[in-house]
Amino acid sequence: MKARLQQFVASIATLALTLASSLPAQVANTPQAGFTLQVNGELVLTNVVARDAKSGELIRGLKSSDFQVFENGKQQQISSFDFESVDMATPLNEATVSGLAAGVTPSGSKAVVVARPEDLRNHRLIVMFFDLTSMQPEDIERSVNAAKDFLRTKMQPADLVALVSLDTSLSVDQDFTSDKDALINKVGAYNGTDGQAFQPGATSTTNQVEDTTAYPPDESEYNDMNTDRELFALKAISKSLEKISVKKSLLYFSGGISRDGIENQASLRQAINSAVRANLAIYSVDTRGLQAVSPLGDASTGSMRGNGAFNGGALANNMNANFASQEVMSTLSTDTGGKAFFDSNDFAPAFAQVQHDTSAYYAVGFHSTNPARDGKYRKLTIKINRPGVKLEYRPGYYAPADFVHSGKEDREQELNDQLASDLTATDIAVYLDSMYFKLDDNRYYVPVSLVVPGSQIPFVKGGDKDKATLDIIGVVIDEVKRPIGRARETVKLNLDQSLGARQKNIQYTTSFNLPPGKYQLKFVVRENQTGRMGSFLADISLPERDVWKKNPLKMSSILLSSMREPSKAVSPLVRNGQQYVPNISHVFRQDQHLYLFYEVYDPTREKLADNSPKGTQPGINLLSSLELIQGSTKVYETPIVRAKVVNVEGRNAVAVDLDVPLTGLKPGSYICQLNVIDDAGGSFTFPRFAVLIKPPAEAAPAPTAAPAPVTAPTATPASGAAE
């Protein structure tokens, strides 16, 4: 899988500390002396069911003074207390309650009405989640029949049920409603589902597929991705239910969900944490029912090779695989206060248990006296001052974790979540620019440059160095929302303090090879001292072949630069062993040079004279110059650069670079006009763009030569991937 993901993108990464900035300098936030008040506003909520130890009957009429809550052995002060009972539920006038799909009205259904929080009091909220990707058709039929039977005969007036399914995507098929007919109709649509597009793949330790070679396929990596997908779905459901404060139950119908060691640990932990914060208990139901595991496999698989079927090895492997597929479901249920139901063809007890656990309960809340945001598990112990009472409650929860205490898997998941989010992170400023250079008729070289103000990066002093670490992740999405290119890199900055990195910009450059089309670029940058993130979203259009041929003068993007650095890379940005570092801000200083670079493709050939020797190749006549205009006055113009031959072999291109020393120009803003004339073809173009020229960083007593640019260490190539 990883090899397939890396087949598409060729990336080159460069890290540079630019010596000029168009971005407004921002003063770093420094702590000021004085008194700081910190308040713990996070309420830990747990539900407690009190029963008579002998009869099992619910005990009502308890008060907050009857309970004691301990977190890791330390007593906590109860700050909220409430009693919920379905017997006290007030009938709702609304046909549907908005919870999972707020504001969404399916075609032809009743209008969705958002209920007030007080309307949900004393009601039983049940989510039926059908993981169709993990179930066989007969498993789906069993679970659907059990759900229909519950809806027809066991559903009570206080019950509000929602239907969610996971197939090729996560779908809310029916929001919370008490309409039995609507629910039965929706759940019946799951029968006959054939699109199990993400079923678990075969592994080398089971006989899930016919062994046709000496090396059976091992699709563990695919299974890891599939497990993450299922856990992310549970997390998404929990997130959507956070605003509903009352207790909720989720019946999770699945054909088993496995994890490979610690590969899915971060996803599992996030799913559990999200459910706990949403006050959601998960009741897992293994829809495979009671299974007979055969060492030779069943009729759905081919026979095995070797002696594993006769010495017990194959049976042990299959039993272990079956247990592993139930272990995650059991963990989800236990850690969220629910229960798991395995090895039974009767699913009715799962529905009965949900109703039993949520018929009446005490909602107890407290603010933890432990201020540490370390993400560690905290054990809950609840005691009651009345004898003969048995309490049922969630055994603990994971504390919130700040960035310092989060693990590697959690940090990586945060980046991926932000990359997939529709909301842009704005904790730190990020600026992005992209260009394109044609490689052939069906491929473009697309350099992408990111700039982060140094003032927003919390550098740490280490000797005479300023140190910081940045995580950068990006994706290229095509017109049908498919990710076709990725970049991921951790950049370590180790810069001399004399450079004054906090007053400058940090620039990162990577690249992609892409076919013609329209794309969306999204990059996320995170500084790894406090975990603040910033992101940038941009569109880029690469001309199609037919459109490109219609242009009389075919040009690349125009690159402006104030820095060139030695490079042995093979790239359109490297000329004569020097690589141009894009200046995306278009801000320069008087002690710098303005380097302008672009390419012209397929220039028109001149006609040969009649008396030209046989075999003479026709030449070209390409003219270029740059004008700087301030107001209505042209204040500077470069000499005309004439190209008579193609100088980029293999691409039929002419690379043109102009060098403009800025010493003699006054500070201020200028309009630059690039004049490009293909004299042989009679075509021309005059693109314009703005630049800003600033005084030198430090005033010199006498005119001196421009200082050599200072660069940070070159970063390793960014990893690129395509799907």
Side-chain angles (χ1 to χ4, degrees), residues 59 71 178 185 189 257 268 285 299 355 435 558 609 634 673 685:
I59 297 178
E71 180 186 273
S178 56
N185 180 58
I257 175 173
L268 176 61
V285 180
Q355 291 184 318
M435 292 163 282
I558 300 172
K634 180 172 67 174
Q673 177 174 302
T685 183

Side-chain angles (χ1 to χ4, degrees), residues 15 98 160 186 229 242 335-336 448 481 579 593 616:
L15 178 67
S98 179
L160 297 172
K186 289 291 184 180
R229 184 174 178 271
E242 282 184 349
D335 289 354
T336 59
V448 179
K481 305 301 181 183
Q579 178 170 342
H593 286 233
T616 302

Side-chain angles (χ1 to χ4, degrees), residues 13 16 23 36 38 65 90 219 226 308 348 407 466 486 694 720:
L23 310 176
T36 301
Q38 294 183 345
S65 57
T90 303
E219 299 175 342
N226 190 29
D466 283 333
R486 297 182 185 273
K694 290 185 174 183

